[in-house]
Amino acid sequence: MASSRVQPKTAGTYVRRVIVIAYLFFLVVWPVSLVVKHTFDGGFGNITTALSDPVVTDALRLTVYVAIWAVVINTVFGIGVSLLLVRYEFPGRSVLSALIDLPLAVSPVVVGLALLLAYGGTNGLFGPFLNSIGFQVAFATPGIILATAFVSLPLVIRELVPTLQEIGTDQEQAARSLGAGPWATFRRITLPSIKWALVYGVVLSLARSLGEFGAVKVISGNIAQQTQTATLVVEQKYQDFEQETAYATSFLLTLIAIAALVVITILRPKDKSDGN
Amino acid sequence: MGIEIQGINKNFGDFVALDDINLSIPTGRLTALLGPSGGGKSTLLRIIAGLESADSGVVEIEGIDATHLPAQKRNVGFVFQHYAAFKHMSVAKNIAFGLEIRKKPKAEIAAKVDELLKLVHLSQFAHRLPSQLSGGQRQRMALARALAIEPTVLLLDEPFGALDAKVRKELRDWLRRLHDEVHVTTVFVTHDQEEALEVADTIVVINEGRIEQVGSPDDLYDKPASEFVLSFLGPVTRLRGELVRPHDIFLSRSEIPSAVAGTISRFTRIGFEARFDVTPADGSEPVIVEMTRNEALSEDLKPGDAVWLKHVTGIPATR
């Protein structure tokens, strides 16, 4: 690959840089830094207050629990659907591909409402049946996991599909001809090839799951210490004039997401060049 | 024995890739499937390997009906045009793959990998990744990987197609020598007639999904079954409507009875070869005549000279 020559720096170069930096600063850095600033207004007081509030700790625990389940579901189904989309020809493939982007396009509130219609305990399509066998979806943890998995569904798939297309089937065919069955081929050839795309998709999916609000608010019922996730606590505390706790909880949510992204940046190999 | 192929048909939609192919490939020999791109030769190779399935017909490998065996049960070594190296594994790990899948003891795998690394001259690269190798080295690694499982047959799909001319020629000689050492039944696909003529014991010419001719390189060159085979295996020109090889035309400065009279219209030197375009006196298409540089110099031939052309008898021509 030819390395591109560095262009001479002109006044325009600096103008463009300033515009980009100002844009990112006012849109992302400054607002987020204000949350951090307000969190630490009185030292670590706000954090300790928040962490000693059982409403907050229960919500954080539920959020992490839900996010992990949503990520596990999205990873397993994401790999399956990606392989289906890339490796097989079947009628309706392009429809499926378009449907996968739906959760990104539709408002999460609509997602929550749709799930409530399908799985609601009294009026929902499946709800009454599931209730009768003792499995409550709406206003319970399964519903929250369902909603979270729904909104973060495309993230793993959209990372995997281009990578699978790029690696092609040659290596897999070579493995088959060398005696590897389908599972051995997947585990020893396909999975290592898509490893980084998968990790990236999982982290994006995790970050999205931790931050989900709209869909969860509708389906969870927002019951404190039962179905209230961290984002819902932030909203409630803010409205209840407990801003300090709201800031501290926001800060903790941001911290988890940033930590995940930092871990990825450290783990990801510098050289992404492939074999050919 | 060897590979027996009976009544193989394969269509891709409306396109007929293979049309009732029957072929016997003998054990221990090096066979080339030769033909133009899109002629069906790669499809046939992939059907033998089990990477593609035929619409109908039977494939037997060393007496075992393999028609419905999946690729991983056929014990076939396959080498791909673009190497198909396992990019995340070292050269040694690539070669060991088939043996690890077969759960061979560690010591046995290490010994076998060592032996194969020596065979393909990659011992000092054992711990490199494929991305750190040249194209020729990667293809040698792919060959070692395929040979590691001690395959019943070794199949190579345009193995040297992605390499530059010089490396291609080196690897071709090396494959021939390797085969003389290893003696595994080998089938390789190529569209390069020189490669097939130089390396193969037997050549199968395939065009438009059908077998045109099967024979030794000499058979095919000297007794081509069709105009297609004659023209695919080497340069051709027309003399009195007959398709002949340019180096099989005798060119004389003095009149010969019943020869074609003409005038040299062009002279080209390509290394040790001299090429003349001769326009016949009747004004038909120019005839191409080839000879060695020395022959051309001793006759002192130049454009504008009157010459007589005659096809050297006892050498094939097709009408």
Side-chain angles (χ1 to χ4, degrees):
Chain A
M1 218 183 295
S3 59
S4 59
R5 292 241 316 271
V6 178
Q7 284 180 1
K9 291 189 180 87
T10 61
T13 314
Y14 294 105
V15 171
R16 281 195 293 273
R17 278 187 197 174
V18 168
I19 292 173
V20 170
I21 290 168
Y23 173 75
L24 283 176
F25 179 79
F26 286 110
L27 195 68
V28 181
V29 180
W30 186 51
V32 174
S33 70
L34 286 181
V35 171
V36 180
K37 181 172 167 284
H38 279 87
T39 304
F40 293 102
D41 260 350
F44 282 88
N46 290 341
I47 298 270
T48 45
T49 313
L51 287 180
S52 58
D53 183 345
V55 173
V56 175
T57 49
D58 283 357
L60 282 171
R61 206 173 292 126
L62 179 65
T63 299
V64 170
Y65 179 81
V66 165
I68 286 171
W69 271 108
V71 166
V72 167
I73 292 168
N74 279 337
T75 305
V76 173
F77 280 89
I79 292 172
V81 171
S82 303
L83 284 171
L84 197 66
L85 280 175
V86 178
R87 296 280 189 261
Y88 299 91
E89 281 288 337
F90 55 91
R93 198 180 66 161
S94 50
V95 177
L96 179 63
S97 181
L99 269 179
I100 280 160
D101 285 333
L102 198 66
L104 283 182
V106 173
S107 163
V109 178
V110 178
V111 173
L113 210 60
L115 289 173
L116 203 57
L117 285 173
Y119 297 103
T122 44
N123 307 321
L125 266 171
F126 301 123
F129 165 72
L130 290 171
N131 260 355
S132 70
I133 58 166
F135 190 74
Q136 197 191 345
V137 177
F139 312 121
T141 311
I144 305 174
I145 293 174
L146 209 60
T148 309
F150 190 118
V151 294
S152 56
L153 167 82
L155 297 168
V156 169
I157 296 170
R158 288 295 161 228
E159 284 292 322
L160 289 185
V161 163
T163 309
L164 279 171
Q165 276 164 344
E166 190 193 313
I167 61 168
T169 54
D170 265 15
Q171 294 184 55
E172 288 166 17
Q173 288 185 349
R176 298 299 281 275
S177 79
L178 290 167
W183 172 246
T185 305
F186 172 74
R187 196 176 61 81
R188 304 181 68 140
I189 304 300
T190 316
L191 200 56
S193 310
I194 59 172
K195 184 172 64 185
W196 287 110
L198 184 64
V199 169
Y200 213 68
V202 162
V203 169
L204 287 179
S205 175
L206 180 70
R208 182 76 183 80
S209 300
L210 291 171
E212 178 46 31
F213 177 78
V216 168
K217 183 160 189 187
V218 175
I219 193 115
S220 71
N222 198 4
I223 309 158
Q225 290 186 272
Q226 281 183 41
T227 65
Q228 196 173 46
T229 62
T231 47
L232 301 181
V233 163
V234 172
E235 191 213 24
Q236 197 206 321
K237 294 289 180 190
Y238 193 83
Q239 285 170 349
D240 293 351
F241 303 104
E242 292 180 52
Q243 276 98 334
E244 292 76 16
T245 311
Y247 294 140
T249 313
S250 303
F251 171 75
L252 290 172
L253 273 175
T254 315
L255 201 64
I256 301 171
I258 290 179
L261 290 174
V262 167
V263 166
I264 284 303
T265 317
I266 293 169
L267 283 181
R268 193 164 206 168
K270 298 278 180 297
D271 185 12
K272 262 193 78 199
S273 71
D274 54 17
N276 282 333
Chain B
M1 285 306 204
I3 306 169
E4 292 292 330
I5 292 160
Q6 288 152 25
I8 290 283
N9 285 290
K10 177 75 180 176
N11 296 348
F12 294 108
D14 292 339
F15 177 71
V16 180
L18 293 171
D19 183 9
D20 192 26
I21 298 282
N22 294 286
L23 181 65
S24 289
I25 294 169
T27 303
R29 308 292 293 278
L30 222 169
T31 305
L33 304 181
L34 174 69
S37 305
K41 53 196 191 316
S42 278
T43 308
L44 182 59
L45 196 77
R46 293 172 64 83
I47 287 173
I48 297 172
L51 297 174
E52 203 96 62
S53 60
D55 297 342
S56 60
V58 176
V59 177
E60 272 181 29
I61 299 173
E62 296 297 339
I64 296 162
D65 182 357
T67 316
H68 302 292
L69 276 184
Q72 68 264 31
K73 299 230 168 95
R74 293 195 185 193
N75 203 41
V76 157
F78 201 96
V79 174
F80 296 77
Q81 179 175 0
H82 297 289
Y83 329 121
F86 301 145
K87 291 170 186 171
H88 58 287
M89 296 183 194
S90 69
V91 171
K93 276 283 179 194
N94 262 276
I95 297 174
F97 186 85
L99 300 170
E100 285 178 356
I101 289 288
R102 283 166 175 71
K103 299 206 167 28
K104 300 275 187 199
K106 276 216 166 66
E108 190 187 324
I109 295 177
K112 183 85 191 172
V113 168
D114 228 41
E115 179 195 324
L116 282 160
L117 281 167
K118 280 203 191 84
L119 185 72
V120 299
H121 310 299
L122 287 174
S123 294
Q124 69 271 42
F125 300 115
H127 301 296
R128 295 232 184 138
L129 286 176
S131 57
Q132 295 166 303
L133 301 183
S134 72
Q137 289 169 334
R138 272 185 230 173
Q139 198 58 301
R140 294 210 304 267
M141 179 198 82
L143 244 157
R145 185 175 70 181
L147 287 172
I149 60 170
E150 291 175 8
T152 323
V153 291
L154 179 63
L155 307 174
L156 306 102
D157 189 3
E158 299 261 9
F160 314 131
L163 304 168
D164 62 55
K166 189 163 169 289
V167 179
R168 192 154 66 214
K169 192 136 173 46
E170 277 170 24
L171 271 189
R172 194 196 282 172
D173 295 342
W174 177 80
L175 175 67
R176 182 65 246 185
R177 285 200 306 274
L178 182 82
H179 185 262
D180 294 341
E181 275 176 50
V182 185
H183 292 301
V184 58
T185 308
T186 304
V187 184
F188 77 102
V189 159
T190 181
H191 63 261
D192 180 346
Q193 90 287 353
E194 206 185 305
E195 194 167 289
L197 289 170
E198 199 179 310
V199 178
D201 298 315
T202 309
I203 298 177
V204 180
V205 182
I206 298 179
N207 183 39
E208 293 182 342
R210 292 164 185 275
I211 294 177
E212 293 272 345
Q213 191 174 3
V214 182
S216 71
D218 289 352
D219 274 351
L220 262 66
Y221 202 84
D222 295 340
K223 299 184 208 95
S226 63
E227 252 189 24
F228 175 81
V229 175
L230 179 74
S231 59
F232 198 76
L233 257 64
V236 286
T237 188
R238 275 189 196 279
L239 181 67
R240 272 208 196 103
E242 262 185 330
L243 205 58
V244 298
R245 300 220 183 276
H247 51 76
D248 288 342
I249 297 175
F250 177 64
L251 183 149
S252 166
R253 271 177 160 315
S254 48
E255 187 172 354
I256 318 173
S258 79
V260 176
T263 316
I264 295 178
S265 48
R266 196 158 168 252
F267 168 54
T268 323
R269 269 271 316 272
I270 311 141
F272 62 89
E273 261 181 17
R275 203 184 104 148
F276 296 96
D277 289 21
V278 177
T279 310
D282 63 8
S284 52
E285 281 289 294
V287 180
I288 297 161
V289 183
E290 283 174 4
M291 60 182 73
T292 65
R293 181 194 56 177
N294 292 346
E295 281 171 324
L297 288 178
S298 67
E299 290 278 341
D300 188 30
L301 294 159
K302 52 191 178 302
D305 289 358
V307 290
W308 283 263
L309 304 178
K310 198 170 173 359
H311 184 229
V312 182
T313 47
I315 288 185
T318 58
R319 218 170 257 283

